[in-house]
Amino acid sequence: MSTENGSANTNGNGEASAIKTYPVAPRLAEGAQPTPHVGPDLDSYKAAHAKSVGEGSDEWWAEQARKTLAWSTPFTTVRSGDFSTGNIAWFPDGALNVAYNCVDRHAFANPDAPALIYEADEPGSGRTISYGELLSEVCGLANVLKGLGVRKGDTVSIYLPMTWHAAAALLACARIGAIHSVVFAGFSAEALRDRVNDCECRVVITSDEGKRGGKSIATKAIVDQAVKECPKVEKVVVLKRTGGKVNWVEGRDVWWDEEIAKVPRFCPCEPMGSEDPLFILYTSGSTGKPKGVVHTTGGYLLCAALTVKYVFDVHPGDRFGCMADVGWITGHTYIVYGPLANGVATVIFESTPVYPTPARYWETVARHKITQFYSAPTAVRLLRRLGSHHVSGHDLSSLRVLGSVGEPINPEAWEWYNENVGRGQCAVVDTFWQTETGSIVVTPFPGAVPTKPGSATVPFFGHTPVILDAMSGKASALTFLLAVYLTSPQILEGNNVEGVLALATPWPSIARTIWQDHARYLDTYMKPYPGLFYTGDGAARDADGYIWIRGRVDDVINVSGHRLSTAEIESALIMHKGVAETAVIGASDELTGQAVYAFVTLKPEFSYDPNDEGALTKELVLQVRKVIGPFAAPKKIYIVPDLPKTRSGKIMRRIMRKIVAGEGDQLGDLSTVADPSIVDVIKRRVAGTL
Ligand code: WT7
């Protein structure tokens, strides 16, 4: 088995460590069936990658775009624009329709082939939806939306649980050229309201209720509450998921099934310019206001399709199982668009990894003979802790590739995944990417690239990641224009380097803008290091040239793969009537990767019972749940008399981060702290001695 073959290696810190290299997995090695798309060795990857970057790469991309997608108007220009202006375009004079590419062409060729494998919350109560059936549902809903006045370029918000209808809803929008904005159904009514208002949509699609882990989620009730403060919303389309009782607003609310019964089951596809927006997806940044990341049509779909094909080595007849939620980018690209563009079946998993037992994933894999399984380190760590006996005894022999995404995967979790789920036979692909990149950026290629647990390894086609000296050339927005000419970011060439990660060449699925805020797009991604796309992540390149992602270097934190902004949580807390000031930090957590810790000072006039601090902290947790959603709730809240600040009043989060990390004795120079005595108070609060 590969473990024995492992050789000692470096882990990106330049030090020898116990990290091993795993050769190409047996299921993908030379001679394996089906023959891997890229293989059999690192050289074959390098040769293929070389064609996708630099001189001649336009021809490579043009060929991929023609081979992979069906265009209603062929493109003549491959790309234009660059990072300095942020006006990037791919295949700009071409036209195509995403629903046609993901549904129609496969439905015509193989109407009975499975498209969606709906694994419903209650085991055994799901079903498989063929391409023919999916086409009929997508067309029906597209006609319903048209009937409600939705036109090309209009926005539609989608707040749906993980039923197969969610995929149909995205595709129905794409079919008529409406821009969808999916809001994860774990967001609160207030968070939903803000996202609906930001993109000014007139129609919201939701369900009566959702089901997850045996519990009901009151989706419609949350929409009702949100939409009260959404002046532009005229219609709410409601899917009957459970048949539970809902409030009904006559004239505004319509049932999905009743409306669809009234319309024809064919709806022509709207030809879309390659650069027309396909969707908006809100994500957290370093300020309180979420960003509406905009993805366009041709480039996004091409990268979704190519990454599914090459990173997961997908072949006809495969059954692709991505366990994410459609409310996040992973669900958009790797549940819906990528697998369907390849014409394979994709799993819509409604439940949780532990419902009804911690064997749920493995029962699902065995039941549907899943070939690629894509999950997150937090789930792997949880299942590892619950014990490998839940994995054994299930037939996992259909699996060829195991993916990981969302946060760095620790080597112990990687090894467990490889040995227990992969049985030493499968490729493990640790895939690094972001909402903004649209598709995978750094990843092993299963038939070609030896892996090291904890490293995302090498760039996907078309990517040239660079590691920068964090302090060099960083331009503020104001000095940007000057900076372009005067400073250039210090790219750390060669191996054994560590710094921040940027991407040097535009790729087709890069986000094109922030909805209605192009300036923020430029400020966030293009201006920090002129000429490059800034990821916000730290990274190292080890002695073999492999990339190790270290995690965010900005005010974004990552809890169970959910991306949260500390500023957003702070502004939720500050809305509480008693709160004067607050500082939110991310602290490392064994299970969730990071966890939210909050330090709060109270208004002098606010009185509470200091002997019952628990009651107040509970209220504060509820406050965050209400404004953002349950997944953003702080794990720990400390009520403190003051926060460490500089003399100019800037909160020094670094100090609290170190104290919580147990590094309170290594705080370094504290001469800039206005009132150093507060540092001791915080240390004692965290230690529980005060
Ligand atoms: C952030 C992006 C990409 C889909 C899910 C998250 C972190 C993502 C990895 C990985 C280390 C990772 C980064 C990134 N991240 N994948 N394989 N190894 N870190 O998308 O919500 O936009 O979050 O997730 O910090 O910046 P997102």
Side-chain angles (χ1 to χ4, degrees):
M1 223 182 67
S2 43
T3 346
E4 274 83 23
N5 296 339
S7 55
N9 219 313
T10 61
N11 63 1
N13 291 331
E15 305 153 359
S17 76
I19 301 278
K20 293 169 177 163
T21 301
Y22 287 77
V24 170
R27 292 284 263 139
L28 286 303
E30 216 169 346
Q33 285 302 323
T35 307
H37 295 299
V38 185
D41 53 23
L42 200 54
D43 286 339
S44 46
Y45 155 73
K46 284 183 182 158
H49 182 264
K51 290 189 192 149
S52 71
V53 291
E55 226 173 287
S57 63
D58 276 15
E59 285 84 85
W60 187 87
W61 281 108
E63 190 195 333
Q64 295 294 327
R66 287 188 195 110
K67 256 189 357 203
T68 311
L69 304 177
W71 298 80
S72 53
T73 307
F75 56 87
T76 59
T77 304
V78 174
R79 68 174 114 191
S80 65
D82 57 45
F83 290 144
S84 59
T85 52
N87 59 349
I88 293 152
W90 281 82
F91 319 112
D93 58 351
L96 73 168
N97 183 282
V98 166
Y100 180 84
N101 275 278
C102 291
V103 189
D104 298 50
R105 56 179 178 152
H106 313 303
F108 298 152
N110 284 309
D112 299 327
L116 308 176
I117 298 171
Y118 171 41
E119 175 72 14
D121 194 40
E122 284 312 319
S125 69
R127 69 183 189 90
T128 296
I129 292 91
S130 69
Y131 271 99
E133 242 182 300
L134 179 60
L135 176 62
S136 163
E137 192 73 15
V138 169
C139 281
L141 186 63
N143 281 331
V144 170
L145 293 173
K146 273 187 171 173
L148 299 177
V150 178
R151 296 288 174 264
K152 177 176 175 173
D154 289 350
T155 52
V156 172
S157 288
I158 299 177
Y159 188 76
L160 277 173
M162 281 298 292
T163 96
W164 69 270
H165 296 87
L170 270 64
L171 292 160
C173 290
R175 190 169 195 90
I176 61 172
I179 305 164
H180 59 71
S181 163
V182 181
V183 179
F184 170 57
F187 274 112
S188 69
E190 289 180 26
L192 173 62
R193 173 199 65 197
D194 294 347
R195 285 159 179 75
V196 168
N197 285 336
D198 188 74
C199 69
E200 301 179 286
C201 65
R202 292 173 34 247
V203 174
V204 179
I205 305 177
T206 189
S207 64
D208 50 0
E209 294 179 311
K211 273 279 183 203
R212 194 161 182 267
K215 296 193 192 107
S216 297
I217 307 152
T219 350
K220 170 76 162 60
I222 294 169
V223 170
D224 286 340
Q225 206 189 327
V227 165
K228 267 189 213 152
E229 294 171 47
C230 299
K232 294 254 162 76
V233 171
E234 291 162 19
K235 294 285 173 190
V236 176
V237 180
V238 187
L239 173 80
K240 219 170 262 162
R241 164 63 187 86
T242 64
K245 211 175 135 15
V246 289
N247 281 324
W248 203 252
V249 179
E250 274 319 320
R252 186 197 72 184
D253 299 347
V254 295
W255 287 112
W256 174 311
D257 58 340
E258 285 178 10
E259 296 307 305
I260 219 172
K262 299 178 198 160
V263 294
R265 287 306 181 106
F266 184 74
C267 169
C269 289
E270 188 73 39
M272 301 299 287
S274 180
E275 281 301 322
D276 284 338
L278 175 63
F279 64 84
I280 304 168
L281 187 60
Y282 288 88
T283 189
S284 298
S286 38
T287 68
K289 192 178 176 316
K291 296 181 283 208
V293 170
V294 177
H295 280 288
T296 55
T297 302
Y300 170 80
L301 189 64
L302 179 61
C303 286
L306 291 182
T307 47
V308 163
K309 177 174 174 186
Y310 292 115
V311 174
F312 295 94
D313 201 51
V314 159
H315 293 263
D318 278 353
R319 291 155 306 277
F320 194 87
C322 170
M323 298 298 113
D325 191 288
V326 80
W328 307 113
I329 190 73
T330 310
H332 284 56
T333 308
Y334 297 107
I335 296 175
V336 182
Y337 293 120
L340 295 179
N342 280 281
V344 297
T346 183
V347 175
I348 312 274
F349 182 75
E350 190 175 42
S351 198
T352 81
V354 294
Y355 183 77
T357 75
R360 183 61 189 273
Y361 275 168
W362 322 125
E363 286 165 13
T364 304
V365 168
R367 180 158 39 242
H368 304 297
K369 300 196 166 34
I370 290 174
T371 42
Q372 289 83 8
F373 181 81
Y374 196 19
S375 182
T378 186
V380 176
R381 286 192 295 263
L382 174 71
L383 295 170
R384 173 174 179 259
R385 181 189 276 194
L386 296 174
S388 26
H389 59 283
H390 293 293
V391 192
S392 50
H394 299 280
D395 179 7
L396 305 182
S397 59
S398 56
L399 289 170
R400 302 201 306 273
V401 180
L402 305 178
S404 170
V405 63
E407 50 173 319
I409 182 163
N410 45 311
E412 302 74 29
W414 194 105
E415 305 266 4
W416 184 87
Y417 200 27
N418 180 49
E419 276 158 37
N420 292 277
V421 183
R423 297 145 291 117
Q425 301 288 307
C426 297
V428 176
V429 292
D430 173 5
T431 62
F432 164 81
W433 59 295
Q434 310 176 304
T435 304
E436 295 86 342
T437 68
S439 61
I440 293 166
V441 173
V442 183
T443 175
F445 284 67
V449 177
T451 43
K452 300 184 194 184
S455 170
T457 73
V458 297
F460 187 72
F461 298 141
H463 280 289
T464 35
V466 291
I467 294 176
L468 309 172
D469 180 350
M471 293 326 291
S472 70
K474 184 156 177 156
S476 72
L478 279 176
T479 58
F480 172 61
L481 278 179
L482 265 181
V484 173
Y485 299 102
L486 296 183
T487 63
S488 62
Q490 173 84 49
I491 294 181
L492 301 172
E493 307 282 356
N495 294 338
N496 286 323
V497 291
E498 176 143 8
V500 296
L501 183 70
L503 304 172
T505 37
W507 60 101
S509 69
I510 182 178
R512 300 296 194 265
T513 190
I514 303 287
W515 186 251
Q516 312 245 313
D517 200 351
H518 197 64
R520 190 170 175 199
Y521 171 80
L522 295 175
D523 285 349
T524 313
Y525 309 111
M526 311 296 170
K527 289 189 181 173
Y529 297 97
L532 302 169
F533 172 90
Y534 177 51
T535 62
D537 281 293
R541 194 163 45 231
D542 73 10
D544 297 321
Y546 274 28
I547 292 172
W548 297 71
I549 306 294
R550 300 282 192 232
R552 304 291 305 198
V553 295
D554 53 10
D555 294 325
V556 170
I557 56 180
N558 192 323
V559 179
S560 296
H562 291 153
R563 177 166 160 182
L564 301 168
S565 139
T566 52
E568 209 176 335
I569 302 172
E570 287 171 1
S571 48
L573 285 168
I574 215 106
M575 287 177 200
H576 184 279
K577 58 181 185 302
V579 173
E581 272 188 316
T582 164
V584 167
I585 57 154
S588 69
D589 185 279
E590 215 188 303
L591 213 53
T592 56
Q594 282 187 303
V596 178
Y597 280 59
F599 292 84
V600 168
T601 67
L602 300 171
K603 291 179 184 158
E605 69 274 17
F606 179 73
S607 64
Y608 80 107
D609 178 2
N611 296 318
D612 191 10
E613 205 176 285
L616 178 62
T617 52
K618 212 183 242 170
E619 250 181 62
L620 294 172
V621 168
L622 279 177
Q623 174 76 23
V624 176
R625 294 173 68 103
K626 181 166 145 308
V627 178
I628 305 172
F631 60 92
K635 181 173 177 187
K636 188 90 193 138
I637 298 182
Y638 297 103
I639 311 286
V640 290
D642 200 358
L643 298 172
K645 288 184 200 142
T646 61
R647 288 199 189 89
S648 59
K650 208 165 152 28
I651 296 174
M652 301 172 83
R653 289 179 183 74
R654 168 184 73 86
I655 291 180
M656 289 164 275
R657 238 180 260 133
K658 284 217 150 189
I659 294 175
V660 170
E663 296 165 8
D665 52 348
Q666 303 159 37
L667 293 178
D669 181 13
L670 292 178
S671 60
T672 51
V673 188
D675 173 10
S677 72
I678 193 63
V679 175
D680 263 335
V681 175
I682 289 189
K683 277 190 192 168
R684 284 157 62 200
R685 288 291 281 126
V686 172
T689 56
L690 183 72

